Amino acid sequence: MTALPLPSPRKLGLVIDLDTCVGCHACAVACKEWNEQGAFGPLPDQDPYGAEPLGVWFNRVHTYEVAAGNPLPPPTPARAIAPAASAAAAAPAQGMTVHFPRSCLHCEDAACVTVCPTGASYKRASDGIVLVDEDKCIGCKLCAWACPYGAREYSEVRGVMQKCTLCVDRIYNESLDPADRQPACVLACPTRARHFGDLGDPGSEVSRLVAAREGYAPLPELGYRPVNRYLPPRPRRDGAAAADPAAERFDASRLPPLLRWADRLLSR
Amino acid sequence: MHPALSVVVFTTLSGAGLGVLFLAALLQSLAPLPLSRELAVAPVAVGAALLVAGLGSAFFHLGRPGRAWRAFSQWRTSWLSREAVAATATLGAGAAMAACMWIAPGGTGATTAAIILAGCSVATVYATACIYTSLRTIPAWHNAWVAPTFLLAAGLSGAAVFWLLLSFAFWRPGRAEGLVFALAAVGFALAKVGYWRHIDRHGAKLDTGAVTGLARFGSVRPAEAPHTEANFLLREMGFVLARRHARRLRPCAVVLCGVAPAVGGLLAFAGLGGTAVAATATLSLLAGLLVERWLFFAQARHVVVAYYR
Ligand code: SF4
Ligand code: SF4
């Protein structure tokens, strides 16, 4: 059924830290690798070793340059939480590079689900994961049109739509070690920039992280109400301050005696 | 958005077919023309054929056409599913009306079927339009101009095809029909111009800073692409027509589906609505609608493009 289920208290999702992500693409590769042999069938590429390979990835890592300059006011000034509010206010003095992994945010108001004519797209009532039943999908691509976050990619090879499954075949997989029951991207991240958990539970580790760092989801104006959150980059240390001329000033009289003697010797 | 030829052709052809069916139903229920039953049924057959041709071209656009029957199941939420249901109901009502017109011309059966057919054909065009207007991700489609222009385009092209068909039976439109047709053509062209002004103003408000949520830190610019090759998103949504091409194509569309059919309507008003005029007006209108529908896709910018540029 493509009608959305009643909101469940459990909202599994990812929290992605844009401050620590180094843009290494390990998450994207780990995702491709796991899901190539996952429960939802393979992720085949068209012309994989040829001139124009084309294939489905559930996760794409963008890299942006944020120029110094007129920052806009933060989108939700009312929800002020001390450290992040200052993060929001601080425009980078010299600009910064931000790596931005982009995948399904498992939206609560997922229009990608309601537009689906076949019932192939659905949102799970139990944990909010948005999935495609690839045995029902007719490949009309309307759901990809409806997704503002570019989370759905169509497989030319299989003729169906594919998307992030939040590794539903890992997180409940009892044949895996409990520590491994997490999405492949989360386990692969070398800087631990990715966190998985229940964002519906305000006491969960991920929820506390979101509260402390003022996590956000982009495009609130479109009303999709994503579950995933991004943690904004922390204010960068100002490069100009590091080159403080005051630190260069040298007062020989404050050196210990041995060095003072050496200084006198060398200054001759 | 990538203007897939099959979708452009589908929406144009099926719109014309639905327009023909609607007019045939309207005439049948209000004032049946004094025609032999072969001639009376012909427009219904042509309308249905256009609709089936359009549906067929959409069918081949699917990744898994064999499962297309599943598209009838989700009419509770999906406009695409509603369109499939409405189009099928239209074909059923059209067949019923044609059968009644054949077996018992002038009976109440034909009138009842005609009323159902008129409702179903309007509902189908409206559902098609709503597939587009319901997408919050594409501002050029998510606005109040789209549904009226779809309905008007279907009615106008249906009237032209209908006129052409009847002209083969030496029927000539009267002054009123000619005038209404000319006014509808002008109205449609004006509606398109209004639509274009609207999308030029409100086309793409969400830029890279907005879609990443990083705008509050400064101006955001893609520094490195996430992938070196194309992907589905860039092929499907990355198509954005150059403005200068649009500037050339828009006047073409206005002339082909506004000015030329309006002149045809005025000629009919003057009593010159013969087959040659009808054929010219119809062909010009259909060609113009193809250009206009192509622009409808080519100029629509999907918000996801802003992640890339
Ligand atoms: S991110 Fe896109 S695909 Fe995922 S739930 Fe939201 S709208 Fe659907
Ligand atoms: S492509 Fe498949 S999942 Fe997406 S809307 Fe069409 S049928 Fe549903």
Side-chain angles (χ1 to χ4, degrees):
Chain A
M1 271 307 296
T2 54
L4 292 171
L6 290 175
S8 79
R10 228 165 110 75
K11 296 178 180 128
L12 297 186
L14 297 173
V15 173
I16 299 172
D17 191 342
L18 299 182
D19 191 63
T20 49
C21 172
V22 290
C24 71
H25 294 247
C27 53
V29 175
C31 167
K32 180 88 174 172
E33 186 188 18
W34 172 261
N35 285 293
E36 171 63 21
Q37 51 217 317
F40 286 80
L43 283 177
D45 292 335
Q46 202 179 308
D47 193 19
Y49 302 102
E52 286 183 23
L54 181 76
V56 175
W57 292 64
F58 296 163
N59 188 1
R60 303 278 191 179
V61 185
H62 293 251
T63 298
Y64 298 106
E65 198 176 274
V66 183
N70 314 328
L72 297 178
T76 50
R79 251 186 331 127
I81 291 156
S86 59
Q94 312 165 299
M96 59 182 172
T97 303
V98 177
H99 305 286
F100 189 95
R102 180 174 56 75
S103 59
C104 176
L105 292 96
H106 298 279
C107 306
E108 290 192 68
D109 194 354
C112 60
V113 169
T114 53
V115 299
C116 173
T118 62
S121 279
Y122 62 105
K123 184 170 175 73
R124 283 159 53 113
S126 55
D127 52 18
I129 300 179
V130 174
L131 294 174
V132 178
D133 180 342
E134 293 170 12
D135 293 327
K136 284 189 185 155
C137 174
I138 57 173
C140 68
K141 310 184 188 113
L142 189 56
C143 54
W145 291 7
C147 171
Y149 304 105
R152 293 175 168 245
E153 296 194 15
Y154 172 75
S155 172
E156 292 285 350
V157 183
R158 298 185 57 204
V160 295
M161 195 56 71
Q162 300 196 280
K163 68 174 290 298
C164 162
T165 65
L166 205 62
C167 280
V168 70
D169 48 356
R170 291 187 65 91
I171 58 180
Y172 295 112
N173 192 336
E174 296 191 345
S175 65
L176 294 179
D177 193 79
D180 285 337
R181 290 179 205 163
Q182 295 205 50
C185 57
V186 172
L187 293 175
C189 179
T191 62
R192 303 248 253 139
R194 304 178 72 97
H195 308 265
F196 163 72
D198 180 5
L199 287 141
D201 168 9
S204 70
E205 230 167 280
V206 279
S207 295
R208 277 185 283 143
L209 200 52
V210 168
R213 298 270 308 277
E214 206 177 58
Y216 72 97
L219 298 175
E221 57 269 55
L222 292 185
Y224 282 61
R225 293 193 294 129
V227 168
N228 282 14
R229 287 289 180 269
Y230 288 97
L231 304 180
R234 292 186 177 94
R236 299 288 152 97
R237 208 175 295 140
D238 192 344
D244 181 6
E248 292 274 291
R249 233 178 292 130
F250 177 65
D251 183 2
S253 63
R254 290 169 66 189
L255 290 173
L258 185 64
L259 285 181
R260 204 159 53 219
W261 172 76
D263 174 59
R264 235 182 301 137
L265 195 69
L266 290 169
S267 319
R268 261 187 210 151
Chain B
M1 300 293 291
H2 172 67
L5 206 57
S6 61
V7 177
V8 172
V9 172
F10 158 66
T11 52
T12 310
L13 280 189
S14 66
L18 288 160
V20 173
L21 289 173
F22 173 74
L23 289 173
L26 206 63
L27 278 178
Q28 180 62 34
S29 55
L30 296 179
L33 292 174
L35 296 169
S36 69
R37 63 181 186 182
E38 286 84 358
L39 279 174
V41 166
V44 184
V46 170
L50 284 173
L51 178 56
V52 169
L55 289 177
S57 102
F59 179 77
F60 289 111
H61 188 62
L62 297 177
R64 295 291 195 115
R67 302 172 181 167
W69 57 271
R70 289 191 185 273
F72 294 104
S73 64
Q74 303 303 315
W75 48 269
R76 285 187 206 78
T77 64
S78 163
W79 280 107
L80 181 53
S81 186
R82 287 175 198 160
E83 183 201 37
V85 171
T88 312
T90 304
L91 286 176
M97 186 178 88
C100 291
M101 286 161 80
W102 192 265
I103 297 161
T108 52
T111 314
T112 314
I115 292 170
I116 297 174
L117 175 59
C120 287
S121 49
V122 173
T124 310
V125 179
Y126 183 69
T128 308
C130 285
I131 294 173
Y132 302 102
T133 59
S134 65
L135 297 171
R136 281 172 268 169
T137 46
I138 304 171
W141 295 351
H142 184 61
N143 61 65
W145 289 92
V146 172
T149 48
F150 266 66
L151 288 165
L152 211 51
L156 195 59
S157 54
V161 173
F162 205 91
W163 172 18
L164 178 62
L165 286 175
L166 290 185
S167 77
F168 292 127
F170 304 106
W171 177 86
R172 295 286 175 270
R175 296 175 80 82
E177 285 97 338
L179 199 59
V180 168
F181 185 77
L183 286 177
V186 172
F188 177 68
L190 288 178
K192 280 316 290 188
V193 172
Y195 166 76
W196 288 325
R197 283 169 59 100
H198 175 84
I199 64 167
D200 287 347
R201 284 200 200 131
H202 310 279
K205 267 181 285 180
L206 297 170
D207 58 4
T208 309
V211 296
T212 56
L214 295 171
R216 55 180 150 147
F217 295 109
S219 72
V220 184
R221 185 182 74 80
E224 219 177 306
H227 38 93
T228 53
E229 302 301 321
N231 71 346
F232 164 75
L233 294 177
L234 287 175
R235 288 198 177 180
E236 183 87 353
M237 336 267 184
F239 188 101
V240 181
L241 183 73
R243 267 186 115 75
R244 66 197 157 89
H245 291 144
R247 225 177 289 139
R248 267 185 229 137
L249 284 170
R250 285 177 179 180
C252 284
V254 167
V255 170
L256 286 171
C257 54
V259 178
V263 171
L266 291 178
L267 287 174
F269 175 75
L272 300 169
T275 310
V277 172
T280 313
T282 308
L283 289 181
S284 164
L285 179 59
L286 287 178
L289 285 180
L290 283 176
V291 174
E292 174 267 311
R293 216 35 79 79
W294 190 86
L295 279 173
F296 178 72
F297 283 87
Q299 292 200 280
R301 184 181 151 102
H302 193 289
V303 46
V304 79
V305 174
Y307 282 106
Y308 286 89
R309 54 184 178 240

